[in-house]
Amino acid sequence: MILIYWDTLEELSKIKTNSIDLIITDPPYKVISWWKPKHKWQPWWILLKNDWKIFEHNNINISDYISELYRILKEWTHCYIMINLINLENLLAESKKAGFKLHNLLIWEKNNKTPNRWYMKNIEYIVFLRKWKAKKINSSDWQILKHKNILWNKTHPTEKPVSLLEQLINNSSSKWDVILDPFMWTWSCWVACKNLNRDFIWIEIDENYFKIAKDRINN
């Protein structure tokens, strides 16, 4: 296990070409900030500002890192990138430009929803990519992945359930393979890798989230 507190772009450049067995990540991307109403009669969908960011380190672009992810992955391997609808088209275009092939577009169906005027949002997208030739997954799972979202006691606003990550890791790797998450946030992917006997490299630039995860791992 390797934990790195530093800038992702700088650390990715240090990783050897064709050395990683699987990448699973939930990178920072553009979002719309919503206003929490002061009165019951005010709807949740009122837009406060369109600044596209909710985290301090939210200025990285897909084009900044996608080629590095392709470079460090071994051939015949997979890459899972979680994304929202606003950035889906850009991710697909940039990943193709970097050399990735699209295997599938997966849907994570959650047990909660976020307010929206154009249908309530109860899913997230997972772009399933491959490097070089096609490699089958280790099961016959459906395209829609159903896992309960973490509703309380989150250590990060976008923390993912361990069960979801375990499913992806199980399907695209073997024991002792090296899994990379270049935007770790807190610790869910580490738990999944530990449970499944995978080696793990984690990079996180936010000191607060790095400390939270490190403390939880040490405990």
Side-chain angles (χ1 to χ4, degrees):
M1 176 181 67
I2 300 176
L3 309 181
I4 302 173
Y5 164 54
W6 202 245
D7 178 70
T8 291
L9 297 181
E10 183 176 336
E11 293 303 322
L12 286 176
S13 67
K14 300 176 183 177
I15 299 178
K16 185 179 177 181
T17 300
N18 298 328
S19 62
I20 302 297
D21 296 294
L22 173 64
I23 293 175
I24 299 180
T25 191
D26 182 16
Y29 45 70
K30 293 179 179 179
V31 297
I32 295 176
S33 301
W34 296 95
W35 177 42
K36 184 177 181 180
K38 295 181 180 179
H39 307 286
K40 291 182 179 179
W41 56 266
Q42 292 175 318
W44 276 87
W45 47 258
I46 295 176
L47 186 64
L48 174 62
K49 56 182 179 178
N50 198 11
D51 63 356
W52 299 102
K53 62 181 295 184
I54 57 176
F55 304 116
E56 179 182 355
H57 304 282
N58 216 120
N59 297 321
I60 191 169
N61 296 313
I62 296 170
S63 57
D64 294 335
Y65 61 81
I66 193 68
S67 294
E68 281 295 276
L69 298 189
Y70 184 84
R71 178 187 65 81
I72 64 180
L73 265 178
K74 294 179 181 178
E75 296 177 346
W76 297 69
T77 56
H78 294 155
C79 175
Y80 295 94
I81 302 180
M82 301 174 188
I83 203 75
N84 64 355
L85 183 60
I86 296 172
N87 298 279
L88 178 59
E89 184 178 4
N90 186 30
L91 174 58
L92 293 174
E94 291 295 335
S95 60
K96 182 178 181 180
K97 191 186 302 183
F100 280 111
K101 303 295 183 183
L102 179 65
H103 245 328
N104 209 336
L105 179 61
L106 306 179
I107 304 295
W108 170 33
E109 181 181 333
K110 302 183 287 186
N111 57 317
N112 68 303
K113 57 184 180 297
T114 53
N116 194 284
R117 285 176 287 178
W118 307 280
Y119 300 95
M120 296 290 188
K121 295 184 177 180
N122 70 322
I123 66 167
E124 289 190 27
Y125 299 98
I126 304 174
V127 176
F128 178 26
L129 304 168
R130 61 181 168 92
K131 180 176 178 178
W132 205 40
K133 295 183 180 181
K135 169 191 171 184
K136 67 178 182 178
I137 62 173
N138 298 325
S139 69
S140 300
D141 289 345
W142 291 15
Q143 187 177 12
I144 298 178
L145 313 177
K146 298 184 179 183
H147 295 268
K148 290 185 177 181
N149 194 17
I150 304 169
L151 301 180
W152 311 108
N153 298 322
K154 284 188 175 183
T155 57
H156 188 276
T158 65
E159 185 175 348
K160 298 298 183 287
V162 172
S163 60
L164 170 64
L165 300 172
E166 285 180 339
Q167 184 175 7
L168 301 178
I169 292 169
N170 256 327
N171 282 341
S172 293
S173 67
S174 302
K175 282 187 176 182
W176 314 122
D177 276 354
V178 178
I179 316 299
L180 170 69
D181 187 346
F183 304 98
M184 177 61 181
W185 299 126
T186 50
W187 77 323
S188 295
C189 198
W190 175 84
V191 175
C193 287
K194 182 176 183 295
N195 292 343
L196 299 173
N197 296 312
R198 267 55 165 188
D199 287 332
F200 183 54
I201 300 175
W202 158 39
I203 307 172
E204 175 54 48
I205 194 174
D206 191 292
E207 183 178 7
N208 179 53
Y209 293 125
F210 183 89
K211 185 179 185 302
I212 291 172
K214 188 176 180 180
D215 289 345
R216 295 179 74 174
I217 290 171
N218 288 337
N219 291 331

